[in-house]
């Protein structure tokens, strides 16, 4: 598990939430895919600090060992690289007595088995580090592009001009309890027929589409002929074309944004494993937003 961000060692409180979510996600996926995935631990860096556990680290490790008694913390300190006991600069740390809670002691010499012998591991690691250093800057600028341009500009514009999503107005609570609704004037009772207009900001484009749909519906019912009348079929085809034409522009926009996003992801994916939590969140957040856009 990678938590924390590129510049800081500190394990911020929001990352605990990430970790808890991650644990749930692994568990759910394991059930869904009938896999045996489970939590093995976490890792973070101690640049120049060495392999000691801060109270915060103990707290975190207690959480992991609570989920899995064998959970391990991997700590990386570049200053320890090439040292005798930690030739990759990585130590395995585990609490000896987690039942003591915050007073637990730990061992920082848990034996780590690597997939290759020492020399080959060092060579492989150097190769990977070189590759990361060479490409990370470009990858980070792609991520910045996704956040600053694709999300904040293009996606926002798509929603503004052709949005179909109703955005919840702030500070309004919905309740189905009449008494509560009467007492608190910012509560809204659920059975209000105009509830949508009150709690959502309805995008202009959606209003336009809904109006058009209503008009089509009314025209069709006014025809007053048999259901299978050719006149109905003709009209229906006409209305369908009109609505499709209205949706052509946003569809075109959507495709353009998606293509651009895919292009960026192709560049990011070789280094995806080396992104920090915040960087991954940017990608996740964008995917979530685009998924919500109704085509
Ligand atoms: Zn630490």
């Amino acid at each position: 598990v990678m938590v924390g961000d590129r510049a800081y060692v500190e394990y911020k409180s929001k990352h605990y939430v990430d970790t808890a979510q991650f644990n749930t996600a692994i568990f759910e996926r394991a059930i869904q895919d009938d896999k045996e995935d489970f939590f093995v631990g976490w890792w973070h860096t101690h640049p120049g600090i060495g392999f000691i556990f801060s109270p915060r680290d103990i707290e975190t490790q207690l959480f992991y060992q609570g989920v899995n008694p064998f959970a391990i913390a991997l700590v990386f300190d570049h200053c320890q690289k090439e040292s005798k006991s930690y030739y990759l600069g990585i130590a395995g740390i585990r609490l000896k007595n987690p039942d003591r809670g915050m007073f637990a002691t730990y061992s920082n010499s848990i034996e780590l088995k690597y997939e290759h012998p020492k020399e080959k591991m060092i060579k492989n690691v150097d190769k990977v580090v070189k590759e990361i250093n060479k490409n990370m800057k470009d990858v980070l600028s792609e991520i910045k592009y996704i956040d600053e341009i694709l999300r904040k500009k293009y996606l926002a514009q798509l929603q503004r001009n052709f949005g179909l999503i109703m955005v919840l107005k702030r500070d309004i609570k919905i309740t189905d309890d009449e008494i509560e609704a009467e007492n608190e004037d910012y509560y809204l009772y659920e059975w209000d027929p105009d509830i949508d207009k009150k709690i959502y900001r309805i995008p202009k484009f959606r209003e336009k589409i809904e109006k058009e749909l209503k008009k089509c519906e009314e025209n069709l019912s006014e025809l007053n002929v048999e259901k299978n009348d050719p006149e109905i079929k003709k009209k229906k085809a006409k209305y369908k074309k009109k609505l499709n034409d209205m949706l052509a522009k946003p569809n075109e926009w959507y495709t353009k944004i998606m293509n651009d996003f895919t292009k960026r992801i192709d560049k990011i994916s070789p280094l995806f494993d080396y992104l920090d939590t915040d960087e991954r969140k940017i990608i996740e957040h964008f995917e979530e937003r685009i998924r919500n856009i109704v085509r």
Side-chain angles (χ1 to χ4, degrees), residues 9 42 44-46 52-54 57 75:
V9 187
W42 62 298
H44 71 301
T45 57
H46 275 188
I52 46 155
F53 250 12
S54 69
D57 292 338
V75 175

Side-chain angles (χ1 to χ4, degrees), residues 37-175:
D37 293 349
F38 58 93
F39 226 108
V40 292
W42 62 298
W43 75 269
H44 71 301
T45 57
H46 275 188
I49 303 167
F51 304 124
I52 46 155
F53 250 12
S54 69
R56 219 39 196 307
D57 292 338
I58 291 179
E59 201 187 330
T60 306
Q61 183 62 19
L62 278 169
F63 166 79
Y64 283 89
Q65 280 184 234
V67 176
N68 170 6
F70 298 103
I72 195 166
L74 295 181
V75 175
F76 175 68
D77 180 356
H78 66 289
C79 296
Q80 298 284 332
K81 230 178 138 221
E82 283 153 45
S83 71
K84 216 173 149 225
S85 329
Y86 308 99
Y87 62 89
L88 288 178
I90 299 169
I93 307 182
R94 186 183 288 142
L95 302 176
K96 290 185 200 164
N97 33 32
D99 49 303
R100 290 196 207 165
M102 287 305 289
F103 300 103
T105 52
Y106 56 88
S107 161
N108 61 8
S109 51
I110 303 292
E111 194 194 346
L112 300 174
K113 288 200 178 87
Y114 295 108
E115 53 183 325
H116 302 298
K118 187 177 164 180
E119 282 73 29
K120 200 175 175 201
M121 276 312 290
I122 291 174
K123 224 177 108 189
N124 284 4
V125 166
D126 285 344
K127 211 176 114 192
V128 173
V129 169
K130 225 170 145 183
E131 197 63 24
I132 295 170
N133 284 339
K134 204 178 92 194
N135 299 313
M136 191 47 96
K137 216 180 133 195
D138 291 340
V139 165
L140 291 182
S141 71
E142 296 296 345
I143 289 178
K144 201 174 162 196
Y145 180 89
I146 289 173
D147 199 36
E148 305 269 314
I149 309 290
L150 283 185
R151 183 178 69 84
K152 280 192 197 149
K153 262 188 159 150
Y154 293 167
L155 213 56
Q157 231 166 312
L158 180 65
Q159 166 68 8
R160 207 158 40 229
N161 295 340
F162 304 107
L164 296 175
I165 312 160
M166 303 200 286
V167 184
L168 205 64
K169 286 180 189 167
R170 273 170 214 275
D171 300 329
I172 292 179
K173 291 191 179 176
I174 314 160
T175 178

Side-chain angles (χ1 to χ4, degrees), residues 175 177-189:
T175 178
D177 180 352
E178 250 177 318
I179 297 161
E180 191 177 38
E182 269 172 22
N183 286 340
E184 291 279 353
D185 56 17
Y186 70 96
Y187 276 88
L188 275 177
Y189 186 56

